[in-house]
Each structure stands twice: as C-alpha cells, then as structure tokens.
Amino acid sequence: MEPIRRRFWPLVLCWVIVALDGFDLVVLGTVIPTLLSTRELGFDAPAATAVATVGLVGVGVGALTVGPLADRYGRRLCLLLCVTVFSVLTLAIVIAPNLFVFGLLRVLAGLALGACLPVTIAYVTDLMPRERAGRATTLTMTGYHAGAVLTALLALAVIPDWRLLFAIGGVAGLVTVPLIRLALPEERRGRQGEERPTVRRLVERRYLTISIGVWAASFMGLLLVYGLNTWLPQLMRDAGYGSTDSLGLLLVLNAGAVTGLVLAGVVADRSGTKRVAMAWFALSAVLLAFLSIRLEDVAMLYVAVFVTGVFVFSAQVLVYAFVTQLYPPEIRSTALGFAAGIGRLGAIVGPAITGTLVSLGFAYPGGFYVFAATALLAVGALAIIPSRTRAKAETADDPVIAAR
C-alpha cells in the first residue's frame, strides 16, 4: 500500500497538468463568439481561424521540440518550466493590446503546452508498474476532457468577460507550479548516461517501421478527435436534427469519451494495447459509418453517439499508451512528443477537411464516410508495427523497467 500512497499525489498532479491542456483545447472556442460580435482587438472570421490554426501549430512544434529535451534534462524540470511559461503567457493575454499580440501569445503558450501532455504521459508510465501502464495513461487522459468540460462550464458563467477566463486559466497553472515542485519526485534516469537520447534514434532501422506506424495512427486519431469536436453539431444540423440536439450530441460524445478512457485502459492491460487499439479504431469506423444513417429515434441516436465517443477518443489515447511500450525509457518523451506533434497536424487537417465538405454541401453523410475511412487507415497503420519488437526486448533488460 505504501508505494501506491506515494504515487497518489504525483498522479493527481499529472492529471491536473493534462487538464490544463483540456482548458487550452476549448478556451479559444468559448471566447471567439464574443470577440467576433464585439470586433475587439480587430477580430473577424479570418483572424479567428488564423489564431486557432497557429495556436495548434505552436502546440505541435512544442511537442516535437521539447520532448527530446525532457528525455535529456529530466521530465520533472521540463514540466515545471513548461507549465510556468504556459501560465504566464496565458495570463498575459488578459492585457493583449491587439490581434497580433493575442495571436503571438497563443503561439508561444502553445509551444510550452505542447510538451506537457507527452511528457506527463511518459512520467506517469515511469511512475506506475508496467502491468498498469495502459490504465494509468487512459485515466490520466480523463483530465483532458474534464478540463475541457470545466472550462466550457466556466465560460458560461463569465462570458462576455473573456479576459477573466484567460486570467483564471493562467492563475490555475501558476498555482500548480509549486505543487509540481513539492509533490513530483525526480524520475530515475536509467541508462541515459550510457546512451544519449536523440531524435535520430526514432528513425533508426529497428524503430523506423514502429515510428511510421505510430505517427500515422496518431495523425488519424487526432484528425477524428478534432474533426468531430469541431463539426459534429453542424453535421447533425445538416442531417436534419434540431440545434438543441446537435449541441447535446456533442456533450454526449465527450461523456462517452471519459467512459471509454476508463474502460480502454483496463481492457488494454489485460488483452494487449496493440490489439485493443486496432479493435477500438475498427469499431469506431463501423460506428461512424452508422451515424451516416438518419435515425428517427432520437434516443437511439444519443446512444449511438455516446458509444462512438467511447471508442473514438480512447483509441487515440491507446496510441500514446502503445508508444510507452515500444520505446525504451531514455527516448520515451521524445517518442511521445513526436507522436503528439505529428498528430497535431491531423488536428489541423481534420477540421479543415470537414469544413470544406460543409462549404461544398457534402458534409452529411460524406463527413461520416471520411471519418470512418480515417479510422480504418489508423487500423492499417497499427497493423504494420511488429507484434514483438526489438524495443520491447531492450526495455525488458532495462534497469528502470526491471525495477517496476
């Protein structure tokens, strides 16, 4: 029991750090309507699109660049610095004098935030026993959706005062910083003194196929997550459902996501992460194709969307959990950073593709066919990864893994 107690507060803090990423996911979307209606700071529709896009780019670049630094200099130190920088820059948005400064602060905050999710997952994986790694990853990721939902509810209370929303997010992050310093133990460094972590190792012959499969699956997974979160209400309106149902279905989709994250980790730890991730994406494809059929029974529609959320969102998180098993500890943050960073390209492409279909009038049922095909491509990407990898063979002898 004592080891579990020692892990409790570090795991809670990791959950809170991921919740900050959930805050960032929805905060801009909650304030854009106010900024567009008031034209404050010079916001218009093209400017809002540009700010949203460059913010995602910043998060992706941060994941790609900071992950390797975390492997080299320490994950705890990286989390301390990144949460501090993100919080200060988010707080600074409150006094942004114009659109350019607002956008610049979002990009720079994104650079810091981009590293938090992959580095946190790597930290949690190091902290937990190997047989509970999948469960630990998926439970930690529930913070992402909890942060998003809490931010949306908070926005309902404070909007149209959009500055207050950024102030609350920045202060919450700053409050977390000293807690990270106090409660997160230094991670063990394993073999890092023997072999320096480098990005090049991700594309060495023994890891090349693994990396290609993981990157493609992550791209497809985040394309689904962001495409559905951005456009599901519009797709449902195009299908002829009412606006109230359309917004309710988005909430139900994310409720399914939290349920799926709890379920997926348990199943993956028992049956194997690769097998379960492939099954989850395959089921997502079937369910997304099913949503292309207009259902007259609204209750059945809500159930279908809930079950779709169960599989789609947790499938993407299972990719992250799989990454932690495929690479040795000394390059784990690097590997997760690249999976998350390349996946963020999918986060940009997904809404763009679906938005184009909406503009052309093909969003329903075409959007669901595109999403279903994307899920099947993710199955194919995972299938090319060898079931037994040299990376696993290395980690089996690793002193850090052996100690867990």
Side-chain angles (χ1 to χ4, degrees):
M1 289 296 294
E2 187 61 30
I4 295 175
R5 288 174 183 166
R6 285 202 304 266
R7 295 186 188 111
F8 177 75
W9 286 113
L11 289 173
V12 169
L13 274 176
C14 288
W15 188 92
V16 171
I17 293 169
V18 172
L20 291 175
D21 204 335
F23 162 85
D24 194 71
L25 170 69
V26 301
V27 66
L28 188 62
T30 63
V31 303
I32 278 178
T34 298
L35 291 169
L36 290 179
S37 64
T38 62
R39 300 283 177 170
E40 197 169 350
L41 304 182
F43 264 87
D44 55 20
T49 302
V51 169
T53 301
V54 297
L56 285 173
V57 170
V59 172
V61 172
L64 291 170
T65 56
V66 184
L69 297 176
D71 279 330
R72 179 165 296 183
Y73 299 109
R75 289 162 194 155
R76 178 176 176 270
L77 175 62
C78 176
L79 289 174
L80 273 170
L81 293 176
C82 287
V83 173
T84 301
V85 172
F86 167 75
S87 303
V88 170
L89 293 174
T90 298
L91 199 56
I93 290 175
V94 173
I95 56 173
N98 53 50
L99 177 64
F100 174 79
V101 174
F102 184 102
L104 180 62
L105 289 170
R106 285 288 296 169
V107 172
L108 295 176
L111 289 172
L113 183 69
C116 288
L117 189 147
V119 174
T120 301
I121 293 175
Y123 189 94
V124 167
T125 303
D126 286 344
L127 197 64
M128 294 298 290
R130 191 176 187 181
E131 64 273 11
R132 296 184 182 179
R135 206 173 320 178
T137 299
T138 54
L139 287 176
T140 301
M141 283 298 296
T142 61
Y144 187 69
H145 295 281
V149 171
L150 288 173
T151 304
L153 293 174
L154 183 62
L156 292 175
V158 305
I159 294 295
D161 189 355
W162 62 268
R163 287 185 172 86
L164 180 58
L165 194 59
F166 282 104
I168 293 172
V171 170
L174 289 176
V175 168
T176 305
V177 171
L179 299 178
I180 294 173
R181 186 174 180 83
L182 290 172
L184 286 193
E186 293 280 0
E187 70 273 21
R188 287 169 290 179
R189 308 298 291 162
R191 291 180 178 173
Q192 283 180 276
E194 299 176 18
E195 189 169 5
R196 292 172 68 82
T198 63
V199 173
R200 185 185 304 171
R201 292 185 63 190
L202 299 183
V203 292
E204 288 177 350
R205 184 176 178 182
R206 56 183 169 178
Y207 295 128
L208 181 58
T209 302
I210 296 171
S211 295
I212 291 172
V214 163
W215 295 343
S218 184
F219 178 94
M220 302 303 169
L222 282 178
L223 189 156
L224 291 174
V225 168
Y226 279 79
L228 281 169
N229 260 326
T230 304
W231 288 108
L232 182 66
Q234 185 61 49
L235 293 179
M236 291 311 191
R237 285 186 193 131
D238 288 352
Y241 302 108
S243 58
T244 302
D245 282 331
S246 298
L247 293 172
L249 289 169
L250 184 61
L251 180 61
V252 167
L253 182 76
N254 281 279
V258 175
T259 304
L261 287 170
V262 175
L263 174 66
V266 175
V267 177
D269 283 341
R270 291 178 179 175
S271 303
T273 307
K274 176 184 175 180
R275 184 181 305 151
V276 175
M278 291 177 66
W280 253 233
F281 274 118
L283 288 168
S284 297
V286 173
L287 291 162
L288 288 164
F290 179 73
L291 289 179
S292 68
I293 304 170
R294 194 182 190 288
L295 301 175
E296 298 299 330
D297 187 336
V298 176
M300 182 179 291
L301 173 65
Y302 272 79
V303 171
V305 171
F306 177 86
V307 176
T308 301
V310 167
F311 290 102
V312 170
F313 292 89
S314 54
Q316 166 60 23
V317 177
L318 286 173
V319 174
Y320 293 148
F322 195 29
V323 169
T324 68
Q325 300 166 16
L326 291 170
Y327 300 87
E330 66 268 17
I331 58 169
R332 193 169 285 152
S333 291
T334 303
L336 282 163
F338 267 69
I342 292 173
R344 294 287 180 171
L345 296 177
I348 297 170
V349 170
I353 290 176
T354 316
T356 301
L357 291 174
V358 169
S359 300
L360 295 174
F362 299 141
Y364 184 86
F368 288 113
Y369 296 149
V370 170
F371 289 143
T374 299
L376 290 177
L377 288 173
V379 175
L382 291 171
I384 72 171
I385 299 174
S387 296
R388 176 71 180 173
T389 68
R390 290 183 64 181
K392 286 183 180 178
E394 286 182 7
T395 56
D397 298 326
D398 189 280
V400 177
I401 295 294
R404 290 183 356 213

